[in-house]
Amino acid sequence: MKRDWDLLRKQLTDIEEELDVFADLPIEPKWEGDERWEEFEPRDKEFRAIQARILGHLELLINSGYIDGVEVQRGADGHFSLGVSSPRLTMSGHDLLNTMRSTTIWESVKSTAKTKGIELTFEVIKALAGLALKKTIGVE
């Protein structure tokens, strides 16, 4: 899975706004009785890919200590188990979201990183956000 910073930003925002953290998950396809495997398999693969992308990003936020009250576990068979109990941002999660919140600053961070050939990490985002803020308010 490739890390998608826009998805992470959306997930942080959804949790802060107390929206359903699993709302973007698609409905799992059901095998129709007369359906052939060749017809079902592409729908199942697409579902699993979307599910793995969304839940994988939630795992990143959980494991990095940015959100609490959400549980995502992967089974050996590739299936996920989910748990939720009052999802919330941690203090670090609030700090990260505040760094990413402004669309102007966020787009500047992504653009600067791309122009300079810098991979985005949590630390790089914080550093570039500071530079973008200074540019925006006219302090160099």
Side-chain angles (χ1 to χ4, degrees):
M1 169 187 83
K2 186 173 182 179
R3 187 168 45 186
D4 180 340
W5 285 100
D6 290 318
L7 177 55
L8 291 167
R9 179 177 181 244
K10 180 188 182 316
Q11 289 175 328
L12 288 167
T13 302
D14 286 351
I15 291 169
E16 181 188 52
E17 294 175 358
E18 300 179 1
L19 301 176
D20 180 0
V21 70
F22 301 125
D24 292 333
L25 289 173
I27 296 172
E28 185 170 4
K30 300 294 180 207
W31 184 292
E32 302 297 326
D34 59 345
E35 187 175 26
R36 293 185 1 236
W37 173 252
E38 295 78 21
E39 297 167 342
F40 174 75
E41 184 181 30
R43 292 186 302 122
D44 186 59
K45 279 186 175 182
E46 180 181 12
F47 164 78
R48 296 204 183 286
I50 294 168
Q51 180 188 48
R53 180 175 173 271
I54 291 170
L55 296 178
H57 282 77
L58 279 173
E59 282 180 312
L60 290 174
L61 293 171
I62 294 164
N63 294 339
S64 298
Y66 292 107
I67 61 174
D68 199 9
V70 178
E71 189 174 329
V72 175
Q73 294 183 349
R74 292 176 189 250
D77 60 358
H79 287 83
F80 289 93
S81 295
L82 309 175
V84 66
S85 62
S86 186
R88 59 205 166 275
L89 299 179
T90 63
M91 186 64 81
S92 296
H94 279 285
D95 290 345
L96 178 60
L97 181 56
N98 285 341
T99 301
M100 302 168 80
R101 185 183 311 278
S102 163
T103 303
T104 304
I105 301 295
W106 179 236
E107 292 303 322
S108 177
V109 166
K110 292 190 305 182
S111 173
T112 302
K114 185 176 183 176
T115 301
K116 303 287 184 187
I118 302 169
E119 290 295 321
L120 285 180
T121 65
F122 294 117
E123 292 77 21
V124 168
I125 288 172
K126 289 176 186 175
L128 291 179
L131 292 173
L133 180 60
K134 286 179 181 179
K135 263 187 184 175
T136 301
I137 62 174
V139 177
E140 294 283 335

